[in-house]
Amino acid sequence: MADLELVDVSLRDGNQSLWGATGLRTAHVAQIAPVLNRVGFRALDFSSSTAMGVSVRTHREDPWDLLRLTRKAMPDTRLQFIGTGFRFISWERAHPEVMELVYTSLVNAGMDRFVVLDPTHDMDAVRETARIIKRAGGASAEVIAALTYTVSAAHDDAFYAGIAEQYANCPDIDRAYVKDPAGILTPERAGTLLPAVLGALNGKPLELHAHASLGLSPLTCLVAAGLGVRVLQVGCGALGNGTSLPDAEKLVANLRADGHTVDVDDRLLAAVARYFDSVAEAEGLPAGQPREYDAAFMHHQVAGGVMTTLRRQLSELGMEHRFGEVMEEVGRVRAELGYPIMVTPFPQMVIGQALANVLSAHSLNGGARYDQVPDQVIRYVLGKFGKPTMPVEPSVLDRILGRPRALELAEEPPPLSVSELRHRFGERTSDEELLLRFGMPGGEVDGMVAAAPPATHYNPDLQPVLRLLRELAGRRPATELTVDKPGFRLSVRGGQRD
């Protein structure tokens, strides 16, 4: 039996998968951070460029300040940033100088663990990003290279073992993890995949990050522990299960029942879980629930956070009833585009194209599939996001590249360098603000800069009272207030002014 460690994903992937990345604010994080630091987690999945953008756009909070605040409260636990290495907040590719500034700024603010997730497993790109991170953070910056799991004709055990062997030979990569964003890794497939990957890693540690979307990952994690995987990733309380990752408390109990050792403080782990439960209740957010197996998931392979966003977008368009049709089209589009792995930014591209195809089919003019093609899909076909794992279906390739827009995008200028960004946004702009302005509309960053400092304390039990007070403050002044409940009555009357 083995000694196992846990990485908690509640603050980043749990929030993104279950709450659309918008559920947690600075106050929520700051309140629980000192407790999280003492649970015994190996690391926390803390942020991504998407999460940083949401902090600015939705909450008008500075994500760099949040990182510094959390690092101060959590001096003993690694904080993880996940990124592709070629983009920051915006979907546009970033200049290599910009990405180096991103990682340097993250290290300076307190980030010390980095997942490199190239969606096409482009090894040259992975190695270069790992080198950039090591230059920024030195030996103390831990680099984890992702093996993003999917099911297709191309992605067999030999494919992943070949990537793992290259990770093993890269001195700037410290460890690897199998990332299963759709939750489709079965215990049976894990029994062949994980030994192949572990053997190819030649002693470098392997972690498992498997979403619970199909109810498979709690069992897959138990299998992985028996095969030599020593770090498993989990969610806590309301931010576990569902389309997030396995519930931490339940998985710890099951691992120990199998004879494994998990060195976490059970009392503090329970406190963290109950805190997120109370946040969910106070803020009206859904709690993750165990999921049943759904064979249709294997067709589209859309991860939890992307699924949540799609449902919201369809609702805003008044097309909730088209969800099943869009998901069926997602599987078809993915096959035609050469089976891109459904991890950012590819799910957004595939879903965008599927939605465009469904809208065309139901338009008054009776349009055809691929009548409308988003720019990012054109860029993907042009190879600007790496080489597709399998060739794009020829007729679809012709339809996309035969568009005038494809010729324009093929000739678009290279991304701006850091010096060009400084010329655009001002030489006195800080590195952190420069990066936000590079990736976001200026008005959104202006709103963040102008906003009052965020709260750093949060009590879930007070939220109903605070909401009531805010509602009362927005109403016309009252001359009388009465509180009436069994055994108690209080009336307050205001005096009349002349």
Side-chain angles (χ1 to χ4, degrees):
M1 299 296 102
D3 295 328
L4 301 172
E5 295 180 293
L6 302 179
V7 171
D8 177 53
V9 308
S10 302
L11 298 183
R12 204 280 305 175
D13 209 350
N15 179 35
Q16 181 168 321
S17 295
L18 293 167
W19 297 346
T22 63
L24 295 178
R25 303 186 299 276
T26 294
H28 299 133
V29 177
Q31 188 68 36
I32 197 62
V35 184
L36 283 165
N37 185 56
R38 294 160 50 214
V39 172
F41 292 122
R42 190 184 191 283
L44 257 66
D45 178 15
F46 183 72
S47 194
S48 66
S49 73
T50 297
M52 296 177 77
V54 168
S55 290
V56 176
R57 181 180 304 110
T58 304
H59 305 312
R60 294 191 173 188
E61 296 179 349
D62 189 332
W64 303 102
D65 287 345
L66 174 59
L67 173 54
R68 278 185 285 270
L69 180 71
T70 308
R71 170 48 69 207
K72 184 176 180 179
M74 300 187 65
D76 307 312
T77 307
R78 287 188 178 274
L79 299 180
Q80 173 183 295
F81 179 89
I82 182 172
T84 62
F86 60 72
R87 54 171 288 269
F88 183 72
I89 302 179
S90 166
W91 296 116
E92 308 295 331
R93 286 193 75 95
H95 193 284
E97 287 182 4
V98 173
M99 292 312 305
E100 183 148 11
L101 184 61
V102 167
Y103 287 113
T104 299
S105 299
L106 287 167
V107 167
N108 290 341
M111 204 77 76
D112 57 1
R113 178 176 151 111
F114 298 87
V115 170
V116 181
L117 192 161
D118 187 276
T120 62
H121 294 106
D122 181 332
M123 277 307 305
D124 289 337
V126 171
R127 282 187 284 260
E128 179 56 28
T129 299
R131 280 194 291 269
I132 289 173
I133 294 169
K134 288 296 188 181
R135 282 201 300 269
S140 62
E142 187 173 62
V143 176
I144 302 93
L147 293 154
T148 307
Y149 179 73
T150 191
V151 175
S152 81
H155 296 90
D156 57 12
D157 292 354
F159 172 88
Y160 288 108
I163 299 297
E165 183 176 5
Q166 295 181 74
Y167 289 168
N169 293 328
C170 178
D172 296 314
I173 292 174
D174 300 301
R175 52 180 54 217
Y177 84 153
V178 171
K179 180 178 177 65
D180 177 19
I184 56 177
L185 178 60
T186 65
E188 293 77 15
R189 178 69 188 277
T192 63
L193 173 67
L194 297 179
V197 170
L198 281 163
L201 284 173
N202 195 28
K204 284 190 177 180
L206 179 66
E207 305 182 9
L208 177 62
H209 172 111
H211 284 250
S213 308
L214 293 183
L216 295 171
S217 61
L219 290 173
T220 302
C221 284
L222 296 179
V223 170
L227 293 172
V229 174
R230 295 295 174 255
V231 179
L232 302 170
Q233 305 201 1
V234 295
C236 290
L239 287 170
N241 281 326
T243 53
S244 180
L245 277 80
D247 175 73
E249 292 174 290
K250 177 60 69 175
L251 184 60
V252 167
N254 288 338
L255 289 167
R256 288 173 176 163
D258 275 2
H260 300 293
T261 299
V262 188
D263 188 14
V264 293
D265 186 314
D266 292 355
R267 180 181 62 85
L268 294 178
L269 179 62
V272 169
R274 301 295 80 76
Y275 174 77
F276 288 128
D277 289 344
S278 62
V279 170
E281 182 176 0
E283 301 289 340
L285 296 166
Q289 300 294 331
R291 300 286 288 269
E292 293 186 358
Y293 181 76
D294 179 1
F297 222 86
M298 294 291 187
H299 176 67
H300 56 70
Q301 300 185 26
V302 176
V306 183
M307 186 83 77
T308 301
T309 301
L310 173 62
R311 286 188 181 277
R312 185 182 72 244
Q313 291 171 338
L314 288 174
S315 177
E316 292 170 354
L317 293 170
M319 294 179 60
E320 305 96 313
H321 60 293
R322 300 287 183 195
F323 178 77
E325 185 178 354
V326 173
M327 296 312 297
E328 182 67 26
E329 181 67 11
V330 164
R332 188 177 176 187
V333 168
R334 179 173 179 256
E336 291 167 340
L337 294 181
Y339 290 102
I341 295 177
M342 295 298 276
V343 64
T344 301
F346 293 155
Q348 293 82 356
M349 295 182 194
V350 173
I351 288 174
Q353 186 60 64
L355 182 58
N357 289 350
V358 170
L359 289 171
S360 292
H362 293 282
S363 68
L364 294 177
N365 298 327
R369 300 174 70 246
Y370 295 98
D371 273 357
Q372 301 296 323
V373 181
D375 282 356
Q376 297 297 59
V377 175
I378 298 174
R379 290 188 176 101
Y380 165 79
V381 172
L382 288 169
K384 293 181 179 289
F385 293 96
K387 183 180 179 181
T389 304
M390 297 180 69
V392 177
E393 201 279 320
S395 64
V396 171
L397 183 69
D398 291 343
R399 289 213 66 188
I400 293 175
L401 295 186
R403 311 171 69 84
R405 181 61 175 160
L407 296 176
E408 296 173 3
L409 293 178
E411 300 299 327
E412 63 183 341
L416 297 179
S417 66
V418 171
S419 61
E420 290 170 320
L421 290 176
R422 293 200 188 285
H423 180 74
R424 170 179 290 187
F425 297 120
E427 296 293 334
R428 295 184 179 181
T429 304
S430 71
D431 290 347
E432 294 175 353
E433 184 177 331
L434 181 81
L435 291 169
L436 295 179
R437 291 190 180 280
F438 157 74
M440 306 187 69
E444 294 179 349
V445 182
D446 291 341
M448 178 204 77
V449 172
T456 56
H457 298 282
Y458 179 83
N459 185 339
D461 296 335
L462 290 179
Q463 298 314 301
V465 175
L466 295 176
R467 276 197 296 272
L468 174 62
L469 293 175
R470 284 194 292 268
E471 290 174 5
L472 291 175
R475 296 183 180 183
R476 296 177 58 187
T479 58
E480 180 176 347
L481 175 65
T482 300
V483 178
D484 196 352
K485 55 188 286 188
F488 177 83
R489 180 180 176 85
L490 173 66
S491 293
V492 178
R493 295 179 176 86
Q496 295 290 332
R497 288 188 176 182
D498 294 333

